[in-house]
Amino acid sequence: MKDELVTISTYSSAIDAHLAKNKLESEGILAFLFDENMVSLNPLYNISVGGIKLKTLQSDRAQALAVLDYVQDQPYTNEQNEAIACPRCGSENISYAYDSSNRLKSFTGFLVALFTFSLPLLPKDRYTCHQCHLVFQK
């Protein structure tokens, strides 16, 4: 009987896909990424190819899903390894989002960033609470 590859998760970000793949491999589970290059070359292709697919052997499917569920259930932590909680309701049921909107508040800010080569330092990290829907920075 052949052990076939099955898709256990899909991602829109190559970074998230590699983190999941590396976690599975650290647990001894064989994992592969499909359509990563297509999505990385042009993010607009993400919709047409169905995202970056994380695949594993059918026989490892249950164990792989358990590992990914365990990782997903872990709270986000700060530098002191303390769980980050929503400042409004105190929930730890939050998700992380890179905010690329409103990166440059003014034309002057853009010029300073451009001439000091600090454009990568300007974006802000944001969290979204799934209980009260507050978007906040840590």
Side-chain angles (χ1 to χ4, degrees), residues 83-100:
I84 297 173
C86 174
R88 181 187 295 163
C89 69
S91 172
E92 293 178 359
N93 184 13
I94 61 174
S95 61
Y96 172 82
Y98 172 83
D99 183 24
S100 61

Side-chain angles (χ1 to χ4, degrees), residues 5-74:
L5 289 175
V6 293
T7 301
I8 57 170
S9 188
T10 58
Y11 300 91
S12 58
S13 162
I15 294 171
D16 292 337
H18 275 281
L19 286 172
K21 177 182 181 278
N22 290 341
K23 180 60 180 170
L24 292 179
E25 289 176 343
S26 75
E27 298 288 329
I29 301 170
L30 194 61
F32 303 93
L33 294 177
F34 283 71
D35 297 326
E36 174 196 6
N37 292 333
M38 185 68 83
V39 173
S40 295
L41 285 173
N42 188 345
L44 296 176
Y45 291 157
N46 189 20
I47 295 171
S48 64
V49 299
I52 301 169
K53 295 162 200 69
L54 177 62
K55 296 190 178 210
T56 189
L57 297 174
Q58 176 67 35
S59 59
D60 291 335
R61 182 179 188 275
Q63 183 184 3
L65 289 173
V67 168
L68 293 179
D69 286 344
Y70 173 77
V71 170
Q72 185 68 30
D73 291 341
Q74 299 304 305

